[in-house]
Amino acid sequence: MALYQLKSSFAGGELSPSMYGRTDIAKYDSGAAVLRNFLVLRYGGAANRPGFKFIAQTYNNKKAVLIPFVYSADQNYNVEITAGRCRFYKDGDIVKYDNGTPYSIENFFEDKDLENPAKIKYTQSADVLFIVHPEHSPMTLTRYGELDWRFEKMDITGGPFDDAFNLRKASDKVDISASAVSGDVTITATSNIFSQNDVGSLLAITQFIPTDYKKAVPNSSGSNLQVDVLPKSSVYIESFGFWDGNFSLEKYDTASEKWTNIRTQSGNRSQNYNFTEENASESIVSYRVTSTEFNTGVWSGENEKQRGYITIQSIGGDYTGYVLITEYISSSVVKGKVKKQLASTSSTKDFSFAAWNGEKGYPAAAGFYEDRLVFAGSKGMPQTFWTSKIGDYYNFGVNIPLLDEDAVTGTLNGGQMNGIKAIIAFGEMILLTSGGEYKVSGGGKPLTGSNILSQPQEYRGVSDVNPVTVGSRIVYVQQQGNIIRDLAYSYDVDKYTGDDLNLLAAHLFEGHKIISMTYQQIPNSIIWCVRDDGLLLGLTYLKEQDIYAWHQHTIANGRFVNVCSISGKTEDVLYAVIERDGKYYVEIMSNRDKSTNVKDQFFVDSGITYEGEPTDEISGLEHLEGYTVAILADGNVLPQQTVENGKVLLGNKYKKVHVGLPIDAEIKTLPIDFTAQDGTYLSRKKRIATVTLLLKDSRGGLFGMKENELNEFKWRSNEAYGEPISLQTGKFKVTIKSATYDETQQIIIKQPDPLPMTVLSLIPEIEG
């Protein structure tokens, strides 16, 4: 008596051989022994992956990393970063000048920086990409136009600063002074405190400005009624006595180098006025009172003390200015450019060096939280994070006294000095370190310098590879590089926690590390991971449906180096850097064309498409010189050929031709098992004579039980003579000619042709 066992999906993905005995778990029924170049669809079926289209060789044939630049759903790019150069990809092609030459700009990276490209981290705000690397000062990549991109050192206008030097050197009583309060200056110290590593970093100089009070009859120049006002402080103006005419309050605009009028006050001889004006800027601002019509002669001959006058007053306090060190002269003298006006040229002991420089290192992670740009994890301060001011992403400074919108500096309270590797913003700021995961917040309020609350969540640790977010979950590579985990808030335990996602497919990771990861949300919610040996692993991940299915993908004669997904017109598109025989290429995965016209199907790698007047020759294949390629011409599979002189000859003329490396796709089921009244049949001999498959939009392919005895699918055809067989959908019952009785029965389905195949389910007929 035959048993018909339904295998309804492949949503369990490829399972490790260690799981072959776990027939008791649900994943066994939906799992597979091999899913190579087949990807698991979001609804559970398995489809052979579409091919990768060739775009271009990388700049100077150098190793490259791809970074997404997403301005909006319909304005996005992939940025190719190689040592010293950036190029740009859009809509599946490289951005070019009108003459066809690829557009490129310089960057600051060196060959050694690309040895571990995962250390290049980034975050984006509108047209600006903020980029960090532990060996480089933070950088920006800004788009001004399609052919106008600029890669620059980030112009940080303030902070962050490290007070540790001053604390260590307090007993030395070091004094420093500047030669001027603005412009280009020379900074002189009374001790040897400077080094070459300080060049390019900010120096904060704090001095006390005393209260200033002026009393006079205003004149036209305002020279006798002028004061300097500290940031976030106010100037106070009051009139006294008897006068008529008017006076004006003006402030100096450093940008235009002109005095601008704030307000003008008229008098009527007997009434007086007082008002204040706040200096809302970040720097000292000069204010003055001027007048050409201030008349005090109305009481001539009477009490002189009743003649009118004006007072102007500013309140004193500490003030900090910034100097960008531009040149190292000696250990006690440097030159610089004032970025924020200094208080005076007098000496002071109150100064701070930048938190980052060539010796202490630079941030290793970047992100945004509550409208603040956040950097974290330098070599010298691995567990420290620094935020910008709210809405001012280039300013990491603070005011005196401290304001809520000021920059925030915090250090995680972990016992080990594990560096921060990634920043993810949800309701809280999640900081992922090499030793654990932390939640940082303002304790239910917006984050400020006075309410930082950091709480450890788990102690797993992350690698350098940038995590991805899938809905409300974070998916990351664990510190050792060979375990993929997710992280999400759990109400049960009131913290962020997660699972090991590759436990059931451990064989795909043993002895290897993940070096690149990206998330392609549409159409199938797949997390793509590049293994250190060049294998591409896919994880179809829909946690709410309990789907996390692994599948592996190879590319003929090559290896994957880096992957990056960005939004396309109808679905997300996957770009990849592929290395083949020491050469590096950028390619894009074709989508599974919604058209069922077999002529449109693209299932070759490093491929190109010709469409136009009928031709019997396809050129432009120099990148595949000497390789054997597969050919689909007007929907017909032609014999494979070897590329010679960058071209192949077709024999006949065709209008639409896809040419590229063949893709060997395979599904192999887990050992077939079922339970009878007297127990399992896993260890008993059985035979599978026929299999019924539910296929969708498929053609071509092989099936069987043994690798060397596979049979072709026989596709019924009603097409007219000369027309290719169309894609077919439905149930197909096939007979396995090589079927024999054996304890282990595994069904093999292969697709060696450049054609689509989607297996939704299969039903083996089992004879016990």
Side-chain angles (χ1 to χ4, degrees):
M1 177 177 168
L3 173 70
Y4 297 88
Q5 185 184 48
L6 172 64
K7 183 174 183 61
S8 59
S9 79
F10 295 90
E14 182 173 324
L15 300 187
S16 167
S18 303
M19 303 301 298
Y20 286 8
R22 293 299 308 275
T23 60
D24 59 317
I25 63 174
K27 293 289 184 184
Y28 191 95
D29 291 335
S30 60
V34 175
L35 282 170
R36 186 177 68 250
N37 292 321
F38 270 90
L39 52 85
V40 177
L41 306 175
R42 62 186 302 122
Y43 45 81
N48 63 325
R49 71 161 174 85
F52 278 90
K53 292 183 177 181
F54 171 78
I55 303 178
Q57 190 171 355
T58 62
Y59 184 85
N60 275 354
N61 190 38
K62 289 189 174 184
K63 185 177 181 180
V65 59
L66 299 176
I67 292 180
F69 186 100
V70 181
Y71 179 81
S72 65
D74 56 354
Q75 294 186 60
N76 53 66
Y77 301 80
N78 249 317
V79 183
E80 171 200 304
I81 292 183
T82 56
R85 213 73 189 172
C86 293
R87 299 198 303 184
F88 308 89
Y89 296 83
K90 183 182 181 184
D91 298 331
D93 199 1
I94 192 167
V95 175
K96 304 182 183 74
Y97 290 107
D98 291 341
N99 63 7
T101 303
Y103 172 74
S104 67
I105 61 172
E106 292 184 353
N107 66 43
F108 306 139
F109 292 111
E110 303 174 7
D111 288 327
K112 63 180 181 179
D113 299 324
L114 273 295
E115 292 175 3
N116 182 6
K119 288 187 177 294
I120 300 175
K121 303 293 180 64
Y122 50 87
T123 190
Q124 186 176 347
S125 173
D127 271 321
V128 182
L129 194 68
F130 297 92
I131 303 174
V132 297
H133 186 281
E135 301 299 325
H136 293 273
S137 179
M139 299 154 279
T140 58
L141 176 63
T142 308
R143 182 189 69 159
Y144 293 91
E146 184 86 353
L147 297 175
D148 186 5
W149 295 71
R150 301 173 197 176
F151 194 99
E152 300 165 308
K153 179 182 175 182
M154 185 175 172
D155 185 18
I156 297 175
T157 58
F161 296 102
D162 178 14
D163 293 327
F165 176 86
N166 304 74
L167 296 175
R168 291 195 305 269
K169 295 290 184 178
S171 60
D172 295 346
K173 298 181 179 179
V174 181
D175 287 73
I176 65 171
S177 59
S179 59
V181 297
S182 62
D184 296 324
V185 298
T186 298
I187 306 295
T188 303
T190 58
S191 185
N192 299 327
I193 61 172
F194 299 117
S195 74
Q196 188 69 47
N197 288 316
D198 295 321
V199 174
S201 63
L202 290 176
L203 178 69
I205 300 176
T206 301
Q207 293 165 310
F208 180 78
I209 296 181
T211 295
D212 197 1
Y213 175 84
K214 301 286 177 61
K215 170 184 174 182
V217 173
N219 58 34
S220 59
S221 68
S223 58
N224 59 346
L225 286 171
Q226 180 175 330
V227 296
D228 291 332
V229 181
L230 292 170
K232 310 303 180 184
S233 185
S234 297
V235 59
Y236 303 88
I237 297 93
E238 190 168 2
S239 66
F240 294 89
F242 294 94
W243 59 276
D244 62 11
N246 59 64
F247 67 88
S248 297
L249 174 66
E250 300 175 344
K251 75 173 182 179
Y252 187 70
D253 182 6
T254 55
S256 63
E257 298 184 341
K258 294 180 179 179
W259 289 92
T260 60
N261 182 273
I262 302 299
R263 64 178 291 178
T264 297
Q265 181 63 56
S266 298
N268 62 0
R269 300 188 179 184
S270 62
Q271 186 174 356
N272 280 297
Y273 309 89
N274 64 79
F275 52 88
T276 64
E277 181 70 25
E278 182 185 9
N279 172 17
S281 75
E282 300 290 336
S283 298
I284 297 172
V285 173
S286 295
Y287 289 81
R288 71 181 185 182
V289 174
T290 65
S291 178
T292 57
E293 299 180 11
F294 193 87
N295 179 18
T296 63
V298 293
W299 283 90
S300 178
E302 299 295 333
N303 189 344
E304 288 295 321
K305 291 183 179 181
Q306 293 178 311
R307 288 184 182 273
Y309 63 90
I310 303 294
T311 65
I312 184 170
Q313 182 178 10
S314 64
I315 305 302
D318 286 330
Y319 169 79
T320 302
Y322 307 141
V323 177
L324 177 66
I325 299 174
T326 57
E327 184 180 354
Y328 173 79
I329 304 300
S330 70
S331 58
S332 60
V333 179
V334 293
K335 290 188 176 182
K337 184 177 184 63
V338 174
K339 300 291 288 184
K340 179 182 177 185
Q341 177 187 343
L342 302 180
S344 74
T345 57
S346 60
S347 64
T348 179
K349 294 180 174 60
D350 195 351
F351 61 93
S352 297
F353 285 98
W356 319 316
N357 65 17
E359 179 182 3
K360 292 180 284 191
Y362 298 98
F368 278 96
Y369 181 64
E370 293 183 343
D371 200 26
R372 299 177 184 268
L373 175 61
V374 186
F375 291 146
S378 68
K379 179 176 65 176
M381 289 173 276
Q383 288 199 302
T384 298
F385 66 89
W386 304 268
T387 83
S388 71
K389 293 192 172 189
I390 294 176
D392 187 356
Y393 306 144
Y394 294 81
N395 192 342
F396 291 75
V398 297
N399 289 288
I400 304 174
L402 197 66
L403 303 175
D404 284 350
E405 65 265 25
D406 281 345
V408 176
T409 298
T411 300
L412 300 180
N413 54 6
Q416 299 177 351
M417 296 302 288
N418 296 304
I420 298 172
K421 299 293 186 70
I423 302 167
I424 307 291
F426 284 149
E428 301 86 10
M429 179 167 62
I430 309 301
L431 300 180
L432 306 179
T433 79
S434 56
E437 298 78 54
Y438 291 79
K439 177 180 73 174
V440 176
S441 68
K445 299 179 180 180
L447 185 69
T448 69
S450 59
N451 67 357
I452 303 171
L453 178 63
S454 69
Q455 299 170 301
Q457 303 299 293
E458 291 195 322
Y459 294 96
R460 306 289 185 178
V462 303
S463 72
D464 287 322
V465 176
N466 239 6
V468 299
T469 55
V470 183
S472 60
R473 294 179 175 274
I474 302 167
V475 178
Y476 65 92
V477 182
Q478 202 166 309
Q479 195 270 334
Q480 293 80 4
N482 57 3
I483 296 177
I484 310 295
R485 300 190 65 88
D486 62 4
L487 188 70
Y489 182 77
S490 170
Y491 288 96
D492 294 339
V493 293
D494 191 25
K495 70 173 185 176
Y496 284 82
T497 185
D499 301 313
D500 182 340
L501 298 181
N502 60 312
L503 177 64
L504 304 184
H507 68 296
L508 296 175
F509 299 85
E510 291 171 352
H512 296 283
K513 293 185 176 182
I514 299 302
I515 59 173
S516 177
M517 182 165 65
T518 192
Y519 176 52
Q520 184 185 26
Q521 180 177 0
I522 301 172
N524 290 303
S525 188
I526 297 178
I527 299 168
W528 296 100
C529 305
V530 177
R531 212 167 69 175
D532 54 9
D533 63 348
L535 186 69
L536 179 64
L537 301 177
L539 171 63
T540 304
Y541 182 81
L542 290 95
K543 193 72 172 183
E544 63 275 15
Q545 302 295 329
D546 195 33
I547 295 176
Y548 45 101
W550 287 99
H551 31 95
Q552 58 173 302
H553 302 267
T554 60
I555 191 163
N557 306 112
R559 57 192 296 270
F560 291 91
V561 176
N562 188 260
V563 287
C564 179
S565 174
I566 61 172
S567 176
K569 293 180 179 178
T570 59
E571 60 185 53
D572 296 340
V573 292
L574 181 69
Y575 285 76
V577 177
I578 294 169
E579 185 266 331
R580 187 177 295 111
D581 289 339
K583 297 179 180 179
Y584 294 92
Y585 304 97
V586 176
E587 303 184 8
I588 181 174
M589 182 188 284
S590 174
N591 60 10
R592 290 185 67 90
D593 202 305
K594 300 301 184 293
S595 168
T596 57
N597 189 335
V598 68
K599 298 178 182 180
D600 298 329
Q601 308 306 310
F602 190 93
F603 287 85
V604 292
D605 283 335
S606 297
I608 65 170
T609 296
Y610 169 83
E611 187 170 14
E613 293 298 319
T615 182
D616 60 358
E617 178 181 298
I618 304 298
S619 58
L621 296 168
E622 288 79 8
H623 64 289
L624 295 178
E625 185 70 26
Y627 290 108
T628 299
V629 294
I631 305 169
L632 185 71
D634 287 349
N636 299 292
V637 179
L638 302 188
Q640 295 185 358
Q641 290 190 41
T642 300
V643 177
E644 295 183 8
N645 300 318
K647 61 184 179 181
V648 293
L649 303 178
L650 305 179
N652 293 306
K653 292 189 175 183
Y654 300 93
K655 294 181 178 180
K656 189 166 188 177
V657 184
H658 309 292
V659 184
L661 296 171
I663 303 172
D664 183 21
E666 177 183 3
I667 298 175
K668 187 174 185 179
T669 66
L670 291 166
I672 301 296
D673 175 52
F674 66 93
T675 302
Q677 291 182 346
D678 56 348
T680 180
Y681 260 69
L682 186 62
S683 62
R684 306 185 199 186
K685 288 188 177 182
K686 46 197 168 288
R687 177 176 178 269
I688 298 177
T690 64
V691 177
T692 300
L693 299 101
L694 180 57
L695 304 178
K696 182 177 184 295
D697 297 332
S698 301
R699 207 188 95 188
L702 306 171
F703 65 92
M705 306 293 292
K706 300 177 182 179
E707 291 280 353
N708 57 351
E709 296 183 33
L710 300 179
N711 304 116
E712 291 186 27
F713 283 95
K714 301 299 182 182
W715 300 94
R716 293 185 305 236
S717 175
N718 296 318
E719 289 79 18
Y721 179 78
E723 285 294 314
I725 299 174
S726 61
L727 303 181
Q728 298 188 30
T729 297
K731 295 176 184 176
F732 297 85
K733 187 173 183 178
V734 296
T735 300
I736 300 177
K737 298 177 181 179
S738 60
T740 59
Y741 279 92
D742 202 338
E743 292 179 359
T744 301
Q745 298 283 353
Q746 293 175 274
I747 301 169
I748 299 171
I749 301 171
K750 284 193 173 186
Q751 176 58 292
D753 297 323
L755 291 166
M757 174 173 280
T758 299
V759 183
L760 301 179
S761 65
L762 57 86
I763 306 171
E765 180 184 341
I766 308 169
E767 298 174 356

